[in-house]
């Protein structure tokens, strides 16, 4: 019997205890774990190995995929679950991970053998939640945390779809460490992956997250699985967003939007209307059309400026990059002449949405100017990246952004002049191309 000290953050191993992990820099993260010796004999022959030529392997993507029952989730997965795949889903406590998967299991149980393995809830608790969600009675439920027993059951019954809720509650008697430790999570995930690939069983794992928002356990966990999904949203906000951060069978730039209700999660078809207020004719508000994967979203950006009461003005930003907003404030001061040095500035994206693309620069800078001048922008959509010289640079997917703005009834769209030539049809909406921020602000105000 041999023991090692294993970092619970990154999986670093050492024979001696250290106060600080030399790999990830975390303090007091090394825990002693007993490493069991494997007494099984090594195979001396590879005659039983099946080796294939890739040209001889036929794949029918229609047969190898099946729908989850939610179009929004299928969009993120790239068209649905792939048979034999291992999917990891993480998110904050209470965000709705178990609710979503129980609803998925309820839909799939009508034509598939579904097994829901819960290590966090008892049978009675799971039944209460299933009753609240009107879940199907065809779901097979197993409440067990000993993975050695679960593994034997899976190999004997071979269900078509498995949900593990959650991986941090599972343990194997081969290791003396506690459930949720690096060794336990890594070993159980490896054995789950072997079962999923061997018997072509689609497996979904629920993972806890740390205070930094990362999935708890070793980083190798995310490398082993085929797909990593993150469930995002405020606990006190009804809207939920699911994103793919890794997907071997589809894109990673898609997102699905849900709304939490008393009867579970509901899909949102027209997401753009969620982030818009009927009263947009007030100062400090700007409308922007973003692109998330293949989906255009109309978002409202709000800004508020007020004279500071202290020596150093406050800068509070929610939903957009802080450093980018500070750069845009500098452009307003230097190139436009708006004095923001004595102004507290607050910037927010309505609905808790997070914008990562630079095409929102023009909307952000216009909302700040609108709040400072106390003049509303009006029924205008602003799209464009802003450079340090105050110039407006071109963006991608302009046609799709304009189509979405038109669909929601906007009358005017201001875009970079470089993108004017790429517009094929105006769709009876006024499209204005401009080169500099000063031209935009002169037009608006």
């Amino acid at each position: 019997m041999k023991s090692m000290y294993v970092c619970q953050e990154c999986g670093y191993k050492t024979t001696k205890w250290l106060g600080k992990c030399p790999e990830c820099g975390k303090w007091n993260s090394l825990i002693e774990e007993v490493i069991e010796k494997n007494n099984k004999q090594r195979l001396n022959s590879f005659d039983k190995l099946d080796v294939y030529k890739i040209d001889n392997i036929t794949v029918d993507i229609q047969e190898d995929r099946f729908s989850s029952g939610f179009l929004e989730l299928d969009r993120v997965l790239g068209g649905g679950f792939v048979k034999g795949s291992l999917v990891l889903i993480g998110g904050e406590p209470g965000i709705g991970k178990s609710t979503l998967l129980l609803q998925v299991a309820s839909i799939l149980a009508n034509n598939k053998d579904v097994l829901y393995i819960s290590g966090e809830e008892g049978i009675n608790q799971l039944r209460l939640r299933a009753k609240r969600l009107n879940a199907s009675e065809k779901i097979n439920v197993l409440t067990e945390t000993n993975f050695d027993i679960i593994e034997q059951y899976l190999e004997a019954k071979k269900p078509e779809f498995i949900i593990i809720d959650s991986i941090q509650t599972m343990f194997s008697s081969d290791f003396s460490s506690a459930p949720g430790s690096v060794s336990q999570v890594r070993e159980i995930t490896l054995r789950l992956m072997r079962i999923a690939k061997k018997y072509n069983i689609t497996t979904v794992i629920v993972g806890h997250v740390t205070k930094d928002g990362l999935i708890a356990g070793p980083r190798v966990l995310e490398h082993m699985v085929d797909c990593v999904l993150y469930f995002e949203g405020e606990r006190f906000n009804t809207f939920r967003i699911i994103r793919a951060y890794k997907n071997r069978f589809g894109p990673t730039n898609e997102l699905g939007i849900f709304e939490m209700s008393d009867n579970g999660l509901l899909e949102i078809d027209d997401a753009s209307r969620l982030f818009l207020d009927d009263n947009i004719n007030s100062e400090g508000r700007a409308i922007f059309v973003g692109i998330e994967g293949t989906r255009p979203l109309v978002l409202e950006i709000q800004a508020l400026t007020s004279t500071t009461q202290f020596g150093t003005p406050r800068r509070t930003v929610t939903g957009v990059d802080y450093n980018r907003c500070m750069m845009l404030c500098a452009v307003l001061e230097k190139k436009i002449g708006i004095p923001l040095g004595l102004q507290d500035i607050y910037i927010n994206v309505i609905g808790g949405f997070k914008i990562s693309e630079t095409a929102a620069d023009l909307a952000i800078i216009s909302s700040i100017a609108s709040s400072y001048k106390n003049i509303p922008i009006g029924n205008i959509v602003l799209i464009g990246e802003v450079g340090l010289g105050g110039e407006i640079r071109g963006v991608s997917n302009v046609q799709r952004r304009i189509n979405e703005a038109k669909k929601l009834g906007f009358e005017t769209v201001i875009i970079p002049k470089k993108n004017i030539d790429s517009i094929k049809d105006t769709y009876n909406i006024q499209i204005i191309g401009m080169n500099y921020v000063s031209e935009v602000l002169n037009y608006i105000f």
Side-chain angles (χ1 to χ4, degrees), residues 34-46:
V34 177
I35 308 299
E36 300 288 345
K37 290 185 178 180
N38 189 356
N39 295 322
K40 294 181 180 179
Q41 295 182 354
R42 179 179 296 180
L43 289 173
N44 295 321
S45 174
F46 51 83

Side-chain angles (χ1 to χ4, degrees), residues 49-78:
L49 291 178
D50 295 324
V51 181
Y52 302 93
K53 288 202 175 287
I54 198 165
D55 292 342
N56 297 332
I57 302 174
T58 57
V59 177
D60 189 342
I61 194 65
Q62 299 299 327
E63 293 184 0
D64 285 347
R65 279 194 189 272
F66 60 92
S67 173
S68 65
F70 287 98
L71 295 177
E72 293 294 304
L73 182 57
D74 289 346
R75 181 204 303 270
V76 178
L77 291 169

Side-chain angles (χ1 to χ4, degrees), residues 72 75 253-257 268-272 290-297 400:
E72 293 294 304
R75 181 204 303 270
N253 56 356
E254 293 285 0
L255 61 84
I257 302 177
I268 302 298
D269 298 326
D270 193 357
S272 293
I291 296 290
E292 290 290 341
T294 59
R295 161 183 277 170
L297 287 175
R400 288 167 56 197

Side-chain angles (χ1 to χ4, degrees), residues 146-156 191 194-195:
N146 189 338
F147 190 75
D148 298 329
I149 301 174
I150 295 173
E151 186 177 30
Q152 295 177 13
Y153 180 88
L154 296 179
E155 291 186 338
R191 287 157 69 174
R194 180 187 63 81
I195 293 173

Side-chain angles (χ1 to χ4, degrees), residues 86 88 147 167-168 170 182-196 203 205 218 220-225:
L86 188 61
L88 174 65
F147 190 75
I167 190 67
Q168 275 79 15
M170 302 293 156
V182 170
S183 300
Q184 293 280 10
V185 171
R186 183 176 56 234
E187 175 67 17
I188 292 170
T189 305
L190 188 63
R191 287 157 69 174
L192 272 172
M193 182 177 66
R194 180 187 63 81
I195 293 173
T203 306
I205 302 173
V220 70
L221 174 64
E222 299 182 31
H223 291 286
M224 285 192 291
V225 300

Side-chain angles (χ1 to χ4, degrees), residues 273-282 285 300 379 410:
R273 298 186 186 275
L274 292 178
F275 305 107
L276 286 181
D277 191 357
D278 294 335
N279 182 21
I280 61 173
N281 291 320
S282 60
R285 294 187 175 188
E300 180 182 330
N379 195 22
F410 290 96

